[in-house]
Amino acid sequence: MTDTPLQLFNSLTRRLETFTPVHAGEARVYSCGPTVYNYPHIGNMRAYVFADVLGRTLSYKGYKLSHVINITDVGHLTDDADAGEDKMEKMAAKEAKSIWAIAEHYTQAYWADIKALNIRQPMEWSVATKYVPAMIEFAEKIAEKHCYELESGLYFDVSTVADYGRLAGFDRAAAAASLAAKAASLAAQAAIAETPEEQARLMVAAVEAATSAHSVGRIEKVEGKRNAADFAIWRKTPTGETRQMEWDSPWGRGAPGWHLECSVMSGALLGFPFDIHTGGIDHREIHHPNEIAQNQAICCSGGLDVAENSGAKLWMHNNFLVERSGKMSKSSGEFLRLQLLIDKGYHPLAYRVMCLQAHYRGELEFSWEGLGSALTRLKRLVMAVEPLRARLNDEGGAVTEGLVPGPKFMPLLEAFDVAISEDLGTPVALTVLEQVVALKKVDLAQKLSVIARMDDVLGLKLMHLTRADLRLTPKSARITIEEIDEILAARRQARADKDFARSDALRDDLAARGVEVMDGDPLGWDWKLEG
């Protein structure tokens, strides 16, 4: 293991804590996965880049990693607080397909994005429908002491566990009221704004505040609930209705509540308590507090002053990806998918660089300009490392894991270790990697070994990517890469022959077909296609 202790921010205690595994030499991690009713948007995928960096860091630190990511194919309603329609049933009806076909299609789409972003495969993808019998058994064990039955299903009484909602860290009703007031104030300011630009900015901020108010204040209104925050453990199929996914249970035919799934799967695969539970910050307010309450109930544990009573020692959450046009919401119909970035000619690892440039606990604003800058940063790294690999291969050398680096590398290795050990400080770690790449007059094999070691954490595939790999043709392009190369070769010959009229004509031909020739580009990238 490396020398610097690994410090991670625990959302439950709101402080940095030194990682101390439950089981010596092991790290057991559970990440909340997607509900596979639609394509994931790039904000969703930020959570899995974060979880991947966490897993890679734990491996880098020498721990044997057991990572589980769930696939929710049943039980998640259109509102995360258990209100509205079943997301899976709704999409199946919309697309006139079986719910099983919907789950398969969108699971495969999600896995394609996982691969494109170079996110490592977990120990297991736990699929919710495979655990329904275990969910019923779990619910039976806690029902007498912690649950009550209504006409609509079995509900968890949150007053039966200590410290319910501590993870959220605030009074939900007060927070919702404050955000609603902020939204009203911003809307009023927008109405008297002096410029259209200022009005648009204020209205975007007002909508964001109103959405947040709804998010933190959303609690399902069900007649007969003992407490407003009580939540469904089992949802009965209403009389006269039939779901595509339903099972028999002691509380009637129906389906499990969304929150139940993660408690059952994490406990079954990792055991309570395990080390780390991850998810997006949106899960911190409702889903994870409900999950914790279930974990407390099944373990017969006490309050949350002892973190292990929550089911996991640490709860970690990545912040939102913000996109000002509103296209981060799947309800808009058209939203930002990773495939859209690829269709516009951006290599998917440029988005990974974009994520690494910000700390996972901070908001990250998406823009096409920002993505372009991240792609340029990736290009610089690939263009520097690719010829080094070729040289080492020509010299008959090899990158070896146990190679002892020379004195020039040691301060940089230490700086990298400190950065990544301070709550996954990827912005600094990325900069340190670039410093290693820039080193001159050092042993080539040692240099590439250090780069490989750092890239094992950051996950940019620098030991495999080539310049050609980053050449993605936008879907709208009117020309192929092969045609571009042929025209550029002809143009270079024309310039060598001092036939500048032909050179200009070839450049104009490329421009007319959406290709910008980048004469004088410091990267020497030659050209770029309009997206």
Side-chain angles (χ1 to χ4, degrees):
M1 294 187 186
T2 48
D3 295 329
T4 310
L6 178 59
Q7 300 281 312
L8 298 172
F9 187 83
N10 189 350
S11 296
L12 185 60
T13 60
R14 295 296 199 274
R15 64 172 182 261
L16 284 173
E17 298 180 7
T18 300
F19 177 74
T20 306
V22 174
H23 303 87
E26 295 184 40
R28 301 184 183 185
V29 181
Y30 184 89
S31 297
C32 276
T35 302
V36 285
Y37 74 102
N38 207 332
Y39 297 106
H41 60 56
I42 57 174
N44 299 140
M45 297 311 297
R46 186 188 186 194
Y48 306 112
V49 173
F50 148 61
D52 183 56
V53 172
L54 171 64
R56 287 171 177 270
T57 298
L58 290 164
S59 296
Y60 159 80
K61 288 289 187 179
Y63 296 103
K64 177 187 175 185
L65 177 66
S66 297
H67 190 190
V68 174
I69 304 178
N70 73 290
I71 300 291
T72 294
D73 56 354
V74 65
H76 191 173
L77 303 193
T78 51
D79 191 307
D80 290 352
D82 277 345
E85 304 169 85
D86 185 297
K87 290 183 176 183
M88 300 295 299
E89 298 275 356
K90 183 178 180 180
M91 184 59 76
K94 179 181 178 181
E95 296 193 7
K97 295 178 180 176
S98 79
I99 202 167
W100 308 99
I102 292 292
E104 174 64 18
H105 175 77
Y106 291 115
T107 297
Q108 292 298 328
Y110 166 70
W111 283 342
D113 286 357
I114 288 288
K115 182 178 181 181
L117 289 169
N118 196 32
I119 293 168
R120 298 193 306 182
Q121 290 290 310
M123 175 187 77
E124 183 156 345
W125 297 103
S126 59
V127 180
T129 48
K130 295 181 179 179
Y131 285 82
V132 172
M135 294 178 204
I136 294 171
E137 181 181 351
F138 184 109
E140 287 180 304
K141 288 179 180 178
I142 67 171
E144 183 177 354
K145 185 176 180 181
H146 297 279
C147 304
Y148 58 93
E149 193 171 354
L150 297 176
E151 182 61 31
S152 55
L154 185 69
Y155 285 81
F156 190 98
D157 183 340
V158 299
S159 69
T160 63
V161 294
D163 304 320
Y164 174 77
R166 178 178 287 190
L167 182 70
F170 58 78
D171 182 308
R172 193 184 309 282
S178 175
L179 285 164
K182 179 180 178 181
S185 174
L186 288 166
Q189 293 175 52
I192 58 173
E194 294 183 0
T195 66
E197 293 77 15
E198 180 67 4
Q199 183 181 48
R201 184 187 68 78
L202 288 167
M203 283 308 299
V204 166
V207 169
E208 288 177 349
T211 301
S212 296
H214 170 71
S215 176
V216 301
R218 63 189 194 273
I219 292 292
E220 181 190 16
K221 293 179 174 60
V222 174
E223 189 67 32
K225 282 173 64 172
R226 296 175 183 173
N227 310 286
D230 291 353
F231 56 91
I233 292 287
W234 187 265
R235 307 189 72 89
K236 295 181 187 177
T237 301
T239 303
E241 291 186 17
T242 302
R243 291 180 176 144
Q244 289 191 50
M245 285 186 173
E246 56 181 6
W247 294 261
D248 290 322
S249 82
W251 315 282
R253 193 159 177 80
W258 175 43
H259 313 295
L260 182 61
E261 300 174 9
C262 288
S263 286
V264 170
M265 293 186 287
S266 62
L269 293 167
L270 299 175
F272 290 131
F274 55 91
D275 295 297
I276 304 173
H277 195 308
T278 79
I281 198 170
D282 51 321
H283 292 336
R284 192 182 64 184
E285 316 309 328
I286 295 177
H287 177 47
H288 286 169
N290 291 352
E291 196 180 330
I292 286 171
Q294 294 166 160
N295 296 349
Q296 289 176 275
I298 200 69
C299 297
C300 302
S301 57
L304 300 179
D305 287 336
V306 178
E308 288 89 333
N309 291 342
S310 70
K313 287 186 70 174
L314 290 96
W315 292 76
M316 298 180 67
H317 298 88
N318 65 281
N319 213 324
F320 292 112
L321 181 75
V322 180
E323 202 280 325
R324 300 298 178 188
S325 75
K327 290 188 176 180
M328 290 303 297
S329 171
K330 294 177 185 178
S331 61
S332 67
E334 179 188 12
F335 56 90
L336 287 173
R337 291 177 52 202
L338 189 65
Q339 188 58 49
L340 176 62
L341 276 52
I342 296 169
D343 288 346
K344 286 183 172 288
Y346 295 91
H347 194 281
L349 290 182
Y351 178 63
R352 186 176 179 108
V353 170
M354 193 176 197
C355 291
L356 296 177
Q357 290 176 159
H359 191 268
Y360 77 90
R361 285 196 288 120
E363 280 192 352
L364 171 60
E365 182 165 353
F366 176 84
S367 69
W368 293 105
E369 294 79 10
L371 184 63
S373 297
L375 178 60
T376 296
R377 198 170 186 180
L378 179 62
K379 286 177 178 178
R380 289 184 184 277
L381 285 167
V382 171
M383 290 176 66
V385 175
E386 183 183 7
L388 298 180
R389 297 188 339 242
R391 269 180 51 203
L392 186 64
N393 185 62
D394 291 343
E395 294 171 8
V399 174
T400 56
E401 191 171 316
L403 197 63
V404 178
K408 283 191 175 182
F409 294 110
M410 292 310 298
L412 293 171
L413 277 168
E414 290 170 5
F416 183 88
D417 187 45
V418 167
I420 210 67
S421 298
E422 291 182 354
D423 198 28
L424 312 181
T426 56
V428 174
L430 187 58
T431 299
V432 176
L433 168 64
E434 290 170 325
Q435 291 172 341
V436 173
V437 170
L439 278 180
K440 307 295 184 185
K441 297 181 180 179
V442 291
D443 182 86
L444 182 57
Q446 289 184 16
K447 180 174 180 175
L448 283 170
S449 295
V450 171
I451 291 170
R453 187 176 182 187
M454 293 180 177
D455 194 42
D456 279 346
V457 177
L458 299 176
L460 297 177
K461 297 180 70 174
L462 295 180
M463 303 310 292
H464 304 282
L465 272 183
T466 67
R467 176 176 168 140
D469 292 330
L470 300 184
R471 291 281 195 213
L472 298 186
T473 307
K475 194 174 182 180
S476 60
R478 303 183 297 278
I479 189 171
T480 67
I481 290 176
E482 291 73 20
E483 289 175 306
I484 295 171
D485 287 339
E486 288 177 8
I487 295 172
L488 284 175
R491 184 169 182 266
R492 283 192 291 271
Q493 186 59 52
R495 288 162 69 87
D497 295 341
K498 301 191 183 301
D499 187 351
F500 298 114
R502 175 166 170 71
S503 171
D504 290 345
L506 290 168
R507 182 189 182 107
D508 292 344
D509 177 43
L510 287 169
R513 297 162 77 177
V515 181
E516 178 186 352
V517 179
M518 299 167 67
D519 290 337
D521 173 34
L523 285 184
W525 205 253
D526 301 330
W527 56 268
K528 69 177 180 181
L529 270 164
E530 296 174 359

